[in-house]
Amino acid sequence: MYRSAASLLFVLMVSLVAAAADRPNIVLIFSDDQGVDDVGCYGSEIPTPNIDRIAKQGIRLTNWYSASSICTPSRYGLLTGRNPSRSRDQLLSALMFLSESDAHRGIHSDEQTIAGVLGQAGYTTALFGKWHLGHGDPAFMPMNHGFQISKGHTGGCIDYFTMTYGIQDDWYEGSKLVPKNGYATELITEEATEFLESQRDATKPFFLYLPYNAPHFGKGWNPSKGETVNIMQAQAKDLQRVASIRDKVRREFAAMVVSLDDGVGRVMQSLDQTGLADNTLLIFLTDHGGDPTYGGSNRPLRGDKATLFEGGLKVPCVMRWPQKIQPGTESDAVLSSLDLFPTFCEVASVDVPASAVDGQSLLKHLVDGDPVPSRDLFWQTGQHAELDRGSWTALRRENLKYIQDQKGREYLFDLKRDPNEEMNLRQQDPVAFDRMRGHARQLAGSLAPKE
Amino acid sequence: MYRSAASLLFVLMVSLVAAAADRPNIVLIFSDDQGVDDVGCYGSEIPTPNIDRIAKQGIRLTNWYSASSICTPSRYGLLTGRNPSRSRDQLLSALMFLSESDAHRGIHSDEQTIAGVLGQAGYTTALFGKWHLGHGDPAFMPMNHGFQISKGHTGGCIDYFTMTYGIQDDWYEGSKLVPKNGYATELITEEATEFLESQRDATKPFFLYLPYNAPHFGKGWNPSKGETVNIMQAQAKDLQRVASIRDKVRREFAAMVVSLDDGVGRVMQSLDQTGLADNTLLIFLTDHGGDPTYGGSNRPLRGDKATLFEGGLKVPCVMRWPQKIQPGTESDAVLSSLDLFPTFCEVASVDVPASAVDGQSLLKHLVDGDPVPSRDLFWQTGQHAELDRGSWTALRRENLKYIQDQKGREYLFDLKRDPNEEMNLRQQDPVAFDRMRGHARQLAGSLAPKE
């Protein structure tokens, strides 16, 4: 009897391990404030050979929407598969690291992340980089939201050289605040490659989330004023590689991009060297549009980060999955970062939890080119007095997009004919305008959590 | 007759070359905002093994005064051998790069520099680094003040990574403004070592002036406000070497110091590798005291940069001259940066021009330990509304020091008994006080140029 049970257990374990080994790894690289004009294969003058290589070896998506045009809600949507308008703390603006009230806001334990779901399904889950879903309370932090391993910063940005927000330390290893010096982009890359090396012979698949802070501006310190200051923080060697860009801020931004792209390259190299590449879905995308004040560019799209014009929402997204995604594929299907949660579930053969209601799995589209059913894409941003931002609302349904900006101005665009949102159809097509506005208002009312 | 003249010429040339080869080279490394507590061999916690090595192989001077506690006048005094109070444009404050009026001020062609004197005497003269003696007009710039070769910035500080003052380019090669990216400290070092390599087989001696901007703060750019911002600009690799320093600003400052010290080390290595070391007087000193707001320290001395307390004026100064200066020497003689002009003249066997009236040659003190005759040391700083600085006056005579600060407060210290200026003797010794005040006022009146 004993022997029989042991044999059974052995068979069970072997098959479990085999199943685990079959399940693909997922590496999700998520950059910050990098617009469609800031990635080489999307037309940027900034060289990003490694990101471009993901596209060449996989798929380049040309109609990819972020879950928000602002950091915190974009990350909320990415990790929960839920429209940020549903978030319990109404995370529709950037959580501010030094704000007293924001210390009490963040992602809650019942707002399930993809890391939590994959972890429960046997994945090793790791985060290296920026969190920005709550900093004031350990309850908000990554290790309490599904990440078994986490190292990085909780605030929206960091001093790239001292891992401080201004002068305040903000680099955690799990729940432990640790002083750190180096260059943030390189530190994140080093953690990633060390992690991948540790997974070389692992029996479990892994989900590696790499939210680089780059090429977002750094949060420096003005010693004479005793206050934080937003500054570009590029390294000498990277500046020399983009020296042909004459505008100082754009050049510094570009230097931060090439450092990030180096990181992507090193992650790809690690995947190759560890033999993990073939069984890994590798994704690079950005959190939302770039901020031209700090060197980003969303040309030719209208609008920037924190607006709900296309420039704020439409982002570069490339994926590679050898033997699954056909190399050199392009798709202009209308897709969203909200879709990654259910996609990852399907990739990992896990049921999508009921909470992740706002996306749809892209697996068959990515692998087989199946069409993606049309659905509404809806965005809201919140008031943010400190950043002088007002509330926006936008809805994309089929090719129409309705926008209400922070000053209450309203727009209707036909993105098929007018992808750069130059012609407001509000007067020209009042029926469609009213219909879209009605839908948007209805969604705005229905998504917010009922207390 | 022809042959005879040719022979004579040949003999003359050989002897000239021999004389030239005999005349020592001079390398003057001049750092920025680095106080007595910012150099290892003066007691700092910041490691500066290379600067310390100069002292070990030569002399460490413990009572060295800069010509001023402010950048521009300090450099004026260093290079002209004249008290800055004599300067035609009354260069008693820092020239401000963005000030319209300061664009018309600087060092004038009749204010002879040591570079000009040595150049006329057959020296090759080169400057790599910070000028800060006039930026608005080519007439003020280094190539018109005796430097045959010059590369660097004209303003008081620079963005270490983009060689801009804020967003405005400020890196010149001779009279040509050139865009430049890298790390300022390393660029200056590279220029220096390339220059030294070029001098390996030179028949002429050289004067190499290396006014590093380090460890002065950098002049960054605040993109959202569209204005310059003073920030610490350290490199990742250097920060990691001083990670034990917990205070962020001090750590960044220290990282900038170790990078500077690396530069000193590379210059020393070049001198060795080229075989030039033995015939080179190598000096490291700083322009004035450190600025604690930006991480500098002058402890235990009272006062800082821009004050005329000891902390503003007394600076680290070490020299090495193999076979001339006894290794491991120390001297507490009261010496001044104004003394370098006549010292260099004597080293180069050149008559001191009549203009350089305020120093005295230290050659016999350095080489033979001869005592240095006592003399008055007098300092004045100017009003500087933009930097919220008022005018100071100070006089050291023997061990007494009189100070009038920017608010008109007056002090008398006995530096022999009270080197840290803790006990004001004004009330206690009114006779000495009145005498010193009288001397100071008389000097203030007599030094200013008569128009």
Side-chain angles (χ1 to χ4, degrees):
Chain A
M1 186 62 192
Y2 171 76
R3 180 176 290 169
S4 168
S7 300
L8 191 66
L9 190 64
F10 178 76
V11 168
L12 196 67
M13 280 176 67
V14 166
S15 61
L16 273 174
V17 166
D22 287 334
R23 285 187 297 172
N25 309 302
I26 299 166
V27 175
L28 175 59
I29 305 176
F30 198 57
S31 78
D32 205 340
D33 282 17
Q34 188 172 13
V36 283
D37 192 31
D38 301 328
V39 170
C41 64
Y42 284 81
S44 178
E45 85 279 26
I46 304 171
T48 57
N50 295 299
I51 298 169
D52 299 356
R53 192 151 48 91
I54 299 178
K56 270 185 215 135
Q57 298 175 350
I59 189 166
R60 188 174 79 99
L61 301 151
T62 59
N63 245 330
W64 188 279
Y65 285 97
S66 59
S68 174
S69 61
I70 294 176
C71 285
T72 296
S74 171
R75 282 149 218 270
Y76 180 91
L78 177 80
L79 293 181
T80 65
R82 293 166 68 78
N83 191 304
S85 295
R86 300 187 195 271
S87 60
R88 277 187 47 186
D89 282 352
Q90 286 295 283
L91 302 174
L92 299 176
S93 301
L95 288 171
M96 299 304 281
F97 191 73
L98 300 177
S99 149
E100 172 52 27
S101 59
D102 277 358
H104 308 290
R105 303 174 67 228
I107 186 170
H108 286 263
S109 55
D110 57 353
E111 300 181 298
Q112 196 165 23
T113 70
I114 185 65
V117 172
L118 294 175
Q120 281 160 23
Y123 272 64
T124 299
T125 59
L127 173 161
F128 305 115
K130 163 174 164 176
W131 181 237
H132 211 192
L133 284 169
H135 52 270
D137 188 320
F140 295 135
M141 284 167 56
M143 65 283 182
N144 291 317
H145 292 275
F147 289 99
Q148 297 151 15
I149 304 167
S150 69
K151 299 184 184 181
H153 56 108
T154 62
C157 50
I158 200 160
D159 186 308
Y160 278 69
F161 294 102
T162 56
M163 310 324 131
T164 53
Y165 190 100
I167 49 168
Q168 198 171 321
D169 283 328
D170 184 28
W171 190 267
Y172 286 86
E173 297 186 354
S175 58
K176 195 179 163 205
L177 191 60
V178 291
K180 203 90 183 169
N181 299 282
Y183 189 67
T185 306
E186 293 178 350
L187 288 183
I188 292 167
T189 300
E190 280 156 28
E191 293 292 353
T193 55
E194 272 177 38
F195 171 80
L196 290 174
E197 190 53 48
S198 77
Q199 299 302 302
R200 184 189 283 268
D201 303 312
T203 52
K204 294 163 67 178
F206 61 83
F207 169 55
L208 173 60
Y209 174 45
L210 290 181
Y212 281 96
N213 198 191
H216 192 291
F217 61 78
K219 187 58 79 171
W221 184 248
N222 181 330
S224 66
K225 296 204 173 163
E227 62 186 25
T228 61
V229 56
N230 298 343
I231 45 171
M232 305 307 293
Q233 293 189 303
Q235 295 206 98
K237 59 185 177 185
D238 301 320
L239 282 161
Q240 288 172 333
R241 294 157 69 191
V242 292
S244 61
I245 299 175
R246 284 303 298 132
D247 179 84
K248 172 186 157 83
V249 177
R250 179 70 171 167
R251 182 165 73 254
E252 292 172 310
F253 177 88
M256 295 166 86
V257 169
V258 299
S259 176
L260 163 71
D261 185 71
D262 285 349
V264 173
R266 286 185 57 199
V267 166
M268 294 173 79
Q269 188 182 33
S270 277
L271 286 170
D272 285 340
Q273 287 171 348
T274 51
L276 294 164
D278 277 351
N279 196 34
T280 298
L281 169 59
L282 170 65
I283 300 177
F284 170 87
L285 81 161
T286 84
D287 67 343
H288 47 63
D291 185 341
T293 300
Y294 298 102
S297 173
N298 310 296
R299 275 174 296 195
L301 300 179
R302 179 174 184 170
D304 305 304
K305 170 184 180 177
T307 78
L308 294 183
F309 290 118
E310 294 287 273
L313 292 168
K314 221 190 234 180
V315 293
C317 179
V318 295
M319 304 186 186
R320 180 188 79 173
W321 194 9
Q323 275 89 54
K324 302 282 185 177
I325 297 173
Q326 186 73 20
T329 312
E330 296 223 343
S331 165
D332 64 356
V334 176
L335 309 176
S336 162
S337 297
L338 296 170
D339 298 332
L340 289 178
F341 190 119
T343 302
F344 293 170
C345 287
E346 190 173 1
V347 163
S349 309
V350 184
D351 288 338
V352 179
S355 63
V357 291
D358 290 310
Q360 54 188 347
S361 173
L362 305 178
L363 190 59
K364 289 180 184 58
H365 178 69
L366 296 170
V367 174
D368 303 320
D370 286 7
V372 178
S374 177
R375 67 282 172 63
D376 291 344
L377 292 178
F378 176 74
W379 302 270
Q380 270 181 309
T381 67
Q383 297 277 353
H384 200 144
E386 184 179 344
L387 297 178
D388 193 25
R389 290 176 184 161
S391 180
W392 293 62
T393 303
L395 169 68
R396 176 168 183 161
R397 171 171 286 191
E398 304 289 350
N399 289 323
L400 287 182
K401 186 170 164 201
Y402 163 82
I403 302 174
Q404 182 216 289
D405 75 10
Q406 60 184 340
K407 296 192 170 156
R409 289 172 299 214
E410 294 174 289
Y411 309 81
L412 183 72
F413 299 110
D414 179 344
L415 295 175
K416 187 85 176 174
R417 290 186 300 160
D418 179 23
N420 300 336
E421 300 172 318
E422 291 166 337
M423 196 191 301
N424 188 352
L425 303 176
R426 178 183 177 166
Q427 308 294 341
Q428 199 176 315
D429 195 345
V431 175
F433 175 82
D434 285 346
R435 191 178 66 239
M436 287 292 285
R437 173 160 68 176
H439 289 314
R441 289 184 175 173
Q442 184 270 326
L443 279 167
S446 69
L447 292 181
K450 311 290 178 286
E451 294 299 340
Chain B
M1 184 65 192
Y2 170 75
R3 179 177 289 169
S4 168
S7 301
L8 190 66
L9 190 64
F10 177 76
V11 169
L12 196 66
M13 280 176 68
V14 166
S15 61
L16 273 174
V17 166
D22 287 336
R23 285 187 298 172
N25 309 302
I26 299 166
V27 176
L28 176 60
I29 305 177
F30 198 57
S31 79
D32 204 340
D33 282 16
Q34 188 172 13
V36 283
D37 191 32
D38 301 328
V39 170
C41 64
Y42 284 82
S44 178
E45 85 279 26
I46 304 171
T48 57
N50 294 299
I51 298 170
D52 299 356
R53 192 152 47 92
I54 299 177
K56 270 186 216 133
Q57 298 175 350
I59 189 166
R60 187 173 80 98
L61 301 151
T62 59
N63 245 330
W64 187 278
Y65 285 96
S66 58
S68 174
S69 61
I70 294 176
C71 285
T72 296
S74 171
R75 282 148 217 271
Y76 180 91
L78 177 80
L79 293 181
T80 65
R82 293 166 67 79
N83 191 304
S85 295
R86 300 186 195 272
S87 60
R88 276 187 49 185
D89 282 352
Q90 285 294 283
L91 302 174
L92 298 176
S93 301
L95 288 170
M96 299 304 282
F97 191 73
L98 300 177
S99 148
E100 172 52 29
S101 59
D102 277 357
H104 307 291
R105 303 175 67 227
I107 186 170
H108 287 263
S109 55
D110 56 354
E111 299 182 298
Q112 196 165 24
T113 70
I114 185 64
V117 172
L118 294 175
Q120 281 160 22
Y123 272 64
T124 300
T125 59
L127 173 161
F128 305 115
K130 162 173 164 176
W131 180 237
H132 211 193
L133 284 169
H135 52 269
D137 188 320
F140 295 135
M141 285 167 56
M143 65 283 183
N144 291 317
H145 292 275
F147 289 99
Q148 297 150 16
I149 304 166
S150 69
K151 298 184 183 181
H153 56 107
T154 62
C157 50
I158 199 160
D159 186 309
Y160 278 69
F161 294 102
T162 56
M163 308 326 128
T164 53
Y165 190 100
I167 48 168
Q168 197 171 322
D169 283 327
D170 184 29
W171 190 267
Y172 286 86
E173 297 185 353
S175 58
K176 195 178 163 204
L177 191 60
V178 291
K180 203 90 184 169
N181 298 282
Y183 189 66
T185 306
E186 293 177 349
L187 288 182
I188 292 167
T189 300
E190 280 156 28
E191 293 292 352
T193 54
E194 272 177 40
F195 171 80
L196 290 174
E197 191 52 50
S198 77
Q199 298 302 302
R200 185 189 282 268
D201 302 312
T203 52
K204 293 164 67 179
F206 61 82
F207 170 55
L208 172 59
Y209 174 45
L210 290 181
Y212 281 96
N213 199 190
H216 191 291
F217 61 77
K219 188 58 80 170
W221 184 247
N222 181 330
S224 66
K225 296 204 173 164
E227 62 186 25
T228 61
V229 56
N230 298 343
I231 45 172
M232 304 308 292
Q233 293 189 304
Q235 295 206 98
K237 59 186 177 184
D238 301 321
L239 282 161
Q240 289 171 333
R241 294 158 68 191
V242 292
S244 61
I245 299 175
R246 285 303 298 131
D247 179 83
K248 172 186 157 83
V249 177
R250 178 69 172 168
R251 182 164 74 255
E252 293 173 309
F253 177 87
M256 295 166 86
V257 169
V258 299
S259 176
L260 163 71
D261 185 71
D262 285 350
V264 173
R266 286 185 57 200
V267 166
M268 292 173 80
Q269 188 182 33
S270 278
L271 286 171
D272 285 340
Q273 287 171 348
T274 51
L276 294 165
D278 277 351
N279 195 34
T280 298
L281 168 59
L282 170 64
I283 300 177
F284 170 87
L285 81 161
T286 85
D287 66 343
H288 47 63
D291 185 341
T293 301
Y294 299 101
S297 173
N298 310 297
R299 276 174 295 195
L301 300 179
R302 178 174 185 170
D304 305 304
K305 170 184 179 177
T307 78
L308 294 184
F309 290 119
E310 294 288 273
L313 291 169
K314 221 190 234 180
V315 293
C317 179
V318 295
M319 304 187 186
R320 180 187 79 173
W321 194 9
Q323 276 89 53
K324 303 281 185 177
I325 297 174
Q326 186 72 19
T329 312
E330 297 223 344
S331 165
D332 63 357
V334 176
L335 309 176
S336 161
S337 297
L338 295 170
D339 298 332
L340 289 178
F341 190 119
T343 303
F344 293 170
C345 286
E346 190 173 0
V347 163
S349 309
V350 184
D351 289 338
V352 180
S355 63
V357 291
D358 290 311
Q360 54 189 347
S361 173
L362 305 178
L363 190 59
K364 287 179 185 60
H365 178 69
L366 296 170
V367 174
D368 303 319
D370 286 6
V372 179
S374 178
R375 66 287 175 56
D376 291 344
L377 292 177
F378 176 75
W379 303 270
Q380 271 181 309
T381 68
Q383 296 277 353
H384 200 145
E386 184 178 344
L387 297 179
D388 194 25
R389 290 178 184 160
S391 179
W392 293 62
T393 302
L395 170 68
R396 176 168 183 162
R397 171 172 286 191
E398 303 289 350
N399 289 323
L400 288 182
K401 187 171 164 201
Y402 163 83
I403 302 174
Q404 182 216 290
D405 76 9
Q406 59 184 340
K407 295 190 171 158
R409 289 172 299 214
E410 293 173 290
Y411 310 81
L412 183 72
F413 299 110
D414 178 343
L415 295 175
K416 187 85 177 175
R417 289 186 301 160
D418 179 23
N420 300 337
E421 299 172 319
E422 291 167 336
M423 194 192 302
N424 188 351
L425 302 177
R426 179 184 176 165
Q427 308 294 340
Q428 199 176 315
D429 195 346
V431 175
F433 175 81
D434 284 346
R435 192 179 65 237
M436 288 292 284
R437 174 160 67 178
H439 289 316
R441 289 184 174 172
Q442 184 271 327
L443 279 167
S446 69
L447 292 181
K450 310 290 178 284
E451 294 299 341

